[in-house]
Amino acid sequence: MKKFYGLSGLKLNVAIAVIAGTDFALFGYDQGVMGGLLTLPSFLHHFPEIDTANPPAGKTASYTSTIQGITVGAYTLGCFFGAVATIWLGNMLGRKRTIFVGSFIMVIGAILQASSFGLAQLIVGRWITGFGNGMNTSTVPTWQAETSKSHRRGQMVMIEGSLIVFGVMLSYWIDLGFSFLEPSTISWRFPIAFQIILALFILALIPGLPESPRWLVLKNRENDALQVLCALSDLPPEDKKIQSEFQAVKDTVFEMQKGGFRDCFKMNKNRNFHRTALAYVNQMFQQISGINIITYYSATIFEQNIGLSPFLSRLLAACNGTEYWMASWIAIFTIEKFGRRSLMIFGAAGMSLSMCVLAGTTSRQSEQMGIAATVFLFVFNSFFAIGWLGMTWLYPAEITPLNIRAPANAISTTANWIFNFMVVMITPPAFSNIGYKTYIIFAVINAFIVPCVYFFFPETAYRSLEEMDEIFHKTTSVFGEHGCVNIAKNMPHRYDKHGNLLISYEETEEGQIYAERRRSSIAAAETRIADGEKKNTVEHRE
């Protein structure tokens, strides 16, 4: 078989995006599939402990809502531990092998879930599936970012974000379609088992795709790294652009190759802790926005909070997922044009307003209020899709330095999953106890996100990963004139909006510093050799 399946240039980038995107579709499918089953009679027959509408004898709605939160949240808790494991496994296994192992674990978890006859087995299966997904979601963005060109990186990862929602949408429609097979257990076993097909597709094709060139250099496999860079750009090794990129990668790697988990918390020249904190908070913001109230519980909200019929609730959940997916395509065409900061601020502001309206329209039940609440569940998803859906899989990988990129992204992904778990866990009891006021909490949180992004998050659009290192090397404060936001705004770009080289790496301040270090190292080595030869000559004469 030809290397990289005989692909190069754009075709190879697309192939990487397809596998990465499939993984994100699998992630989205896993998130959405349980939501459409929580009100399904045959599913609740096997797992009555999570029936919040009709609790088992002797159990209260508050109790069953807590058990439901634990069952749904077991997946996100597994994702958290999978992400934690990747802190140590990421650099050891490499990007490709970590994704392969994660996908294999997901297959095992899906089999356990689909064959469940008791709640304990279902919870364990969801935890195992989550563990594998946590490994994947910690690694795929890094692999994608490290094999993409700076002018395409945003679009590529936003496409993956869109595919998360495609997975959510697909799960809703499959849940709806198979609900007609009631009371057969196939109505819920097949939707859960379907994810195995996506995981097997990843397992079959990822071995033939390229490893991250930056990880290869980190492991002293320079020839392999150069080969990957050439294949990704479809250019020969001697091309000036390839040589410039290769030298920039090598200099960065050799400077940082001793980094590890503990280095994520160092405030050194690279401002590791600063960058890890930004990545962590970025992931946290996505989850505390309240998106998973809708992703996991939309059918339940339509039925129990708005008062719609079971069928109409599942249908609207599927339509909500479809509109959510369509809205996600807006970010693909705007992420590079408007930049990361603008979309994050726009999304958070819109989500805050949507939550305010949802609080008002669900404060009492009426037909008009129900219609308005339904519409704004769609509106909220749209703002999230544009501003935050793919952002947290792109931004952390862009701002963290190479030596801690794997552990730092794993740390940031733990934020995604632990706060995801928190939201999923508290949602059923919150609706049970404080009702519409739940939305007010998330409205305030989203409003708080806006100034945080404006003052603390630098723009990464059209920046190579090595340029981000240079930006933080020049940063001396968290914000203000010497903060990373201002420096990123004013520092000249090395590449234009079409990926053409504007400033050679050797011409930059950073490149000149490393070049001087190389010359000094060579001069020192030559001096040592000369001194050694002189000593040998003297000893020989004596």
Side-chain angles (χ1 to χ4, degrees), residues 186-414:
I186 294 175
S187 62
W188 60 269
R189 293 191 191 277
F190 181 87
I192 292 175
F194 180 80
Q195 61 192 282
I196 296 172
I197 297 172
L198 299 176
L200 290 176
F201 178 76
I202 296 168
L203 289 171
L205 295 180
I206 198 170
L209 292 174
E211 181 56 270
S212 159
R214 290 161 177 85
W215 183 82
L216 291 169
V217 172
L218 192 65
K219 296 300 179 180
N220 297 315
R221 294 168 58 184
E222 291 190 19
N223 289 334
D224 291 337
L226 183 59
Q227 190 177 34
V228 171
L229 288 173
C230 292
L232 291 170
S233 296
D234 197 17
L235 293 170
E238 60 273 10
D239 186 89
K240 182 180 179 181
K241 182 179 178 181
I242 292 294
Q243 288 298 317
S244 178
E245 184 176 3
F246 185 51
Q247 189 60 60
V249 170
K250 282 205 303 180
D251 283 347
T252 306
V253 170
F254 292 148
E255 177 72 13
M256 302 178 175
Q257 62 184 346
K258 294 183 180 179
F261 172 70
R262 291 181 180 179
D263 294 284
C264 293
F265 305 98
K266 289 182 178 179
M267 275 301 292
N268 50 11
K269 177 186 176 183
N270 293 313
R271 297 186 70 86
N272 287 0
F273 179 70
H274 183 182
R275 297 161 79 170
T276 301
L278 285 175
Y280 188 92
V281 172
N282 185 260
Q283 289 270 18
M284 179 186 74
F285 280 167
Q286 186 199 56
Q287 292 307 311
I288 62 176
S289 69
I291 181 59
N292 284 311
I293 289 179
I294 301 168
T295 301
Y296 285 95
Y297 299 110
S298 57
T300 305
I301 291 171
F302 285 130
E303 184 174 339
Q304 296 181 9
N305 293 80
I306 300 178
L308 303 176
S309 69
F311 170 74
L312 185 56
S313 296
R314 279 191 285 273
L315 177 61
L316 281 174
C319 291
N320 187 307
T322 305
E323 190 275 336
Y324 186 15
W325 176 65
M326 292 169 66
S328 70
W329 281 86
I330 296 172
I332 295 171
F333 300 102
T334 57
I335 182 65
E336 301 297 359
K337 183 176 181 180
F338 297 111
R340 286 55 162 158
R341 283 162 48 84
S342 297
L343 292 193
M344 285 192 282
I345 291 170
F346 174 78
M351 289 189 292
S352 180
L353 292 173
S354 298
M355 282 292 185
C356 288
V357 175
L358 282 168
T361 53
T362 57
S363 59
R364 58 187 178 86
Q365 280 198 1
S366 69
E367 184 178 351
Q368 292 79 11
M369 289 288 199
I371 292 172
T374 300
V375 169
F376 271 87
L377 283 171
F378 282 71
V379 172
F380 177 89
N381 273 3
S382 300
F383 278 111
F384 179 84
I386 295 169
W388 286 89
L389 172 62
M391 194 66 69
T392 50
W393 307 112
L394 168 68
Y395 198 82
E398 289 185 316
I399 63 168
T400 49
L402 177 65
N403 72 315
I404 62 164
R405 190 164 294 143
N409 275 280
I411 289 170
S412 70
T413 305
T414 64

Side-chain angles (χ1 to χ4, degrees), residues 49-50 52 60-71 425 428-429:
E49 302 95 330
I50 62 174
T52 57
T60 64
S62 178
Y63 173 83
T64 54
S65 66
T66 302
I67 300 300
Q68 185 184 92
I70 293 171
T71 304
M425 184 68 203

Side-chain angles (χ1 to χ4, degrees), residues 426-437:
I426 69 170
T427 295
F431 277 130
S432 178
N433 291 292
I434 62 174
Y436 74 91
K437 295 177 184 177

